[in-house]
Amino acid sequence: MERFSNLKNGTSTVTTFSEVNAGVAAGGRTGLTSVFCGIFFFIAMFLSVPSCATAAALIYVGLLMMGAVKNIEWDDFRISVPAFLTLAVMPFTYNTYGIAFSLISYIIISIFCGEAKKIKISSYIIALLFMVMLLLAH
């Protein structure tokens, strides 16, 4: 299980995901945006910033991301259950398991609702990999 110890600390992945979303929301839609993000992350590797300094920025990005919650179709349980699992599991587990649980639940709900053919094969593969990860990590 030692080789999977890095799976428990998924916060850097979440932070990168949030930063990229912030860049797209600001209008960056080309590959050049990713190049500059990569350059700045490379520079940031050599700068030591205490977590108390980054907490405010992450809270602000989280607040901006919460604005999308109003667009979730809460009346449709096929969408609302996976969305709720993402919102609830990620902060409580302090990693990206929320994404895994939401994708797995979305596929299970879609199968039971008779919409299994609407899901792409890549989603099934990713969900299977998530299940393997969850089984091997614990």
Side-chain angles (χ1 to χ4, degrees):
M1 293 302 169
E2 186 65 30
R3 60 188 166 154
F4 294 105
S5 62
N6 62 340
L7 296 175
K8 295 180 182 178
N9 297 327
T11 55
S12 61
T13 309
V14 176
T15 304
T16 306
F17 180 75
S18 300
E19 295 294 334
V20 170
N21 279 338
V24 170
R29 304 217 190 304
T30 66
L32 191 58
T33 306
S34 299
V35 170
F36 277 102
C37 274
I39 290 169
F40 291 130
F41 272 114
F42 181 76
I43 293 170
M45 286 186 341
F46 302 105
L47 303 173
S48 177
V49 179
S51 60
C52 60
T54 60
L58 291 176
I59 290 170
Y60 180 68
V61 170
L63 287 174
L64 293 176
M65 291 174 67
M66 287 302 293
V69 172
K70 67 181 178 220
N71 299 328
I72 296 173
E73 296 177 30
W74 292 106
D75 295 335
D76 186 2
F77 72 94
R78 292 172 294 176
I79 296 171
S80 61
V81 169
F84 172 76
L85 284 174
T86 303
L87 291 170
V89 174
M90 283 179 83
F92 288 123
T93 60
Y94 201 60
N95 57 32
T96 57
Y97 288 166
I99 297 171
F101 283 114
S102 66
L103 180 62
I104 293 168
S105 69
Y106 177 74
I107 289 176
I108 291 171
I109 291 170
S110 295
I111 289 171
F112 283 115
C113 290
E115 298 179 352
K117 292 183 179 182
K118 291 183 180 180
I119 300 173
K120 296 182 180 181
I121 189 72
S122 58
S123 296
Y124 284 112
I125 293 170
I126 293 170
L128 181 64
L129 291 173
F130 272 142
M131 286 189 279
V132 169
M133 177 195 72
L134 291 171
L135 290 172
L136 293 177
H138 294 291

